[in-house]
Amino acid sequence: MAVERTLSIIKPDAVAKNVIGKIYTRFEDAGLKIIASKLVQLSQADAEGFYAVHKARPFFADLVKFMVSGPVVIQVLEGENAVLKHRDLLGATNPKEAAAGTIRADFADSIDANAVHGSDSAENAANEIAYFFASSNVYSR
Ligand code: RTP
Ligand code: MG
């Protein structure tokens, strides 16, 4: 199994609930290393650029509005099969459909406020990581 990197964002709802540490513990317990991390308030342009792939979708405006509604925590996770492993930890996009014990089942309220973003492929992960972090601020270990 290849060592991969993925981009993870703890969204405003989970930051507001004060569960950053609980979510980080789940990553660490699954063998994912946090190799870059920052707490930031995204601008409208940051959020629109990040979600540009969803620009034509009906939920785009609400998604961007939600992502700028408060600070987020952005991290790069590294480990074997990191992209899929992280998405398995998150569970289904809609928390009502997320399996018991997943992050979204335990911490998310709705399909909009669904606690954490995760890259959906290694290729998209590389682009998303570069969008938020200079390579000099990613510390593989
Ligand atoms: P994410 O990108 O946040 O990890 O979530 P995902 O891959 O599971 O879902 P995606 O299809 O990429 O959608 C991005 C985010 O948009 C919101 N969404 N709302 N109202 C809706 O039908 C709808 N569909 C998606 C969700 O917050 C989702 O995480
Ligand atoms: Mg997605």
Side-chain angles (χ1 to χ4, degrees), residues 11 51 54 57 59 63 87 90 93 104 111-112 114 116-118 120:
K11 298 186 180 186
Y51 281 119
H54 293 312
R57 308 281 287 276
F59 57 80
L63 175 60
R87 286 183 71 89
L90 298 188
T93 307
R104 284 169 172 159
I111 194 164
D112 298 304
N114 66 357
V116 180
H117 161 84
D120 58 13

Side-chain angles (χ1 to χ4, degrees), residues 14-88:
V15 174
K17 280 185 183 166
N18 204 27
V19 292
I20 297 168
K22 288 193 168 95
I23 291 171
Y24 269 22
T25 295
R26 292 191 184 204
F27 298 157
E28 292 175 343
D29 287 351
L32 294 171
K33 290 180 181 176
I34 297 157
I35 62 167
S37 175
K38 59 184 177 184
L39 174 69
V40 290
Q41 170 66 54
L42 297 181
S43 68
Q44 182 84 11
D46 290 335
E48 286 177 355
F50 181 71
Y51 281 119
V53 61
H54 293 312
K55 203 156 58 183
R57 308 281 287 276
F59 57 80
F60 179 73
D62 284 344
L63 175 60
V64 168
K65 192 174 170 190
F66 172 66
M67 290 300 286
V68 304
S69 66
V72 297
V73 183
I74 311 175
Q75 47 281 331
V76 180
L77 305 176
E78 186 176 73
E80 287 196 359
N81 207 17
V83 172
L84 190 61
K85 190 178 275 186
H86 179 236
R87 286 183 71 89
D88 284 348

